[in-house]
Amino acid sequence: MTAVGNDGSLAKAETAERAPIAAVAALGITQIIGYGTLYYSFSILAGDMAKDMGWPTEWIFGALSAALLAGGLTAPLLGGWIDRFGAGRIMTAGSAVAAAALAACAYAPNGPAFVGALIALEAASNLVQYGAAFALLVQIRPRAAQRSITYLTLVAGFASTVFWPITSAMHAHLPWRDVYLVFAGLNLLVCLPLHAWLSQGLARSRRAAIEPPRHVAGSLPAPARPLGFALMVVAFSLQNLVSAAVLVHMVPLLSGLGLGAAAAIVGTLFGPSQVLSRFINMVYGINLPPLRLAIISAVLMTAGVAILLGTAPSIAGAMAFAIVFGMGNGLFSIVTGALPLMLFGSEGYGRLQGRAMSARLIVSAVAPFALALAMAHIGISWSLGLMALVGCLALLVLAAIAKVSSAT
């Protein structure tokens, strides 16, 4: 086996080998559909779901939190499957499971059946969204994976831009159950064939290879990896806590700080800011070491929260918050794929991603409730201050990773 070494050699290898553009384009389509149908559509349809089930709307979001928690617990197992069977095969099966889970939600006769289908939906999400897609890019061409991940996140960043209006337009004419059935068809008829094509292409390339694949070797030596992995998971979890909590409550936060009707307008800046930061990184920072990119991401997210806290109820300040925080969150998506590759290498990447993703998903399930509880008991300003503190802690942990890396 031939290995590519640390940060510097990885950057040179990335430059020498082209990203698999056809695979990135195909995954870009499936990620837009995957995130659009399995994630972004939920908030638009939740009110109709609640009426249909006879539940308060918060119960529907509580069911989503329970499903996210269950999905987080299954992530390590699914990550092992990705390494064992190949990401292409797992994503192909995941598209079928996602379609079946969407249909099960649509046909759920009662609340318990709906919650069970929702849990299946979140488990399927782990099979078809970023974690699996990043692993597929690593398996296709390890030395170009960092560049490929950047390209993919740029394309997939349009998922909310595409599916929020599509879901709203469909829901104006169809009940939520029919919308979910249409989305099941998209996963079955578009995503599944594309994932199957990627899987077959990967299998053919491996059979035709004359030399064994050149893997990327992680920058951390074996003795430092347990500590490095623990620090990385803590840093990712802290950043994910800030991201998930703030994004779910963005409009209520802005409204509670006195922005009124402008809150919804300010919130629309977030999505384009994510795409902008990924585009800037693609053009100017494609070979930037992932750890440095992680620190930049954490600085931007923390600074965004601090700007909002320090300028409210200024509309200009809120706009700056949405832009800065959105740019940091956009880079965070790249970091979650690129940093594990840099630190631990390409072998066993799927299993490693599954373990790291498990912690992030569990935090994502708890974070919105935790921030809601904090806002109710200590107020919005103190809650934002707490989020800024969490962001600072993430920066300290990332600095500790840098210290561990330099010491080895």
Side-chain angles (χ1 to χ4, degrees), residues 30-330:
T30 68
Q31 292 303 287
I32 288 175
I33 293 174
Y35 275 98
T37 61
L38 305 176
Y39 183 72
Y40 286 114
S41 65
F42 189 86
S43 61
I44 296 172
L45 303 175
D48 197 11
M49 292 174 178
K51 290 179 183 178
D52 199 8
M53 298 292 168
W55 290 356
T57 303
E58 54 267 27
W59 285 21
I60 292 291
F61 284 101
L64 177 63
S65 293
L68 285 169
L69 184 60
L73 295 174
T74 64
L77 173 64
L78 302 180
W81 289 356
I82 287 172
D83 282 336
R84 181 178 178 184
F85 301 109
R89 291 179 179 176
I90 292 300
M91 295 188 80
T92 303
S95 294
V97 175
L102 284 164
C105 284
Y107 287 116
N110 51 46
F114 173 77
V115 173
L118 199 59
I119 290 173
L121 193 67
E122 289 307 321
S125 296
N126 294 339
L127 299 175
V128 297
Q129 292 178 346
Y130 272 158
F134 292 164
L136 180 57
L137 292 173
V138 169
Q139 290 174 1
I140 289 174
R141 203 166 292 173
R143 292 178 296 161
Q146 182 179 336
R147 183 183 297 267
S148 302
I149 288 169
T150 300
Y151 293 160
L152 178 61
T153 57
L154 178 66
V155 176
F158 290 99
S160 61
T161 306
V162 171
F163 267 86
W164 274 338
I166 285 178
T167 305
S168 298
M170 290 176 63
H171 192 217
H173 302 283
L174 297 171
W176 74 269
R177 294 179 185 271
D178 290 348
V179 174
Y180 260 23
L181 288 175
V182 173
F183 288 169
L186 286 176
N187 280 274
L188 194 62
L189 300 177
V190 178
C191 296
L192 190 150
L194 286 174
H195 290 152
W197 172 71
L198 288 167
S199 178
Q200 292 171 3
L202 179 58
R204 282 197 301 269
S205 66
R206 285 178 171 174
R207 287 195 299 268
I210 299 175
E211 297 181 0
R214 298 187 65 186
H215 292 281
V216 173
S219 61
L220 287 180
R225 290 193 173 192
L227 176 59
F229 181 76
L231 290 172
M232 184 188 73
V233 169
V234 170
F236 282 177
S237 297
L238 290 172
Q239 281 190 264
N240 219 79
L241 176 63
V242 177
S243 175
V246 171
L247 292 183
V248 169
H249 294 285
M250 181 178 287
V251 174
L253 273 174
L254 297 175
S255 299
L257 289 170
L259 272 78
I265 300 174
V266 170
T268 61
L269 296 172
F270 174 78
S273 299
Q274 284 195 121
V275 175
L276 175 63
S277 67
R278 293 167 184 170
F279 180 76
I280 293 172
N281 179 64
M282 182 183 72
V283 175
Y284 298 106
I286 194 67
N287 291 321
L288 193 68
L291 186 54
R292 192 174 301 170
L293 193 66
I295 292 172
I296 293 172
S297 168
V299 166
L300 288 172
M301 291 172 68
T302 306
V305 174
I307 288 170
L308 181 62
L309 181 61
T311 61
S314 165
I315 294 178
M319 293 173 68
F321 148 74
I323 293 171
V324 173
F325 190 88
M327 292 181 72
N329 200 70

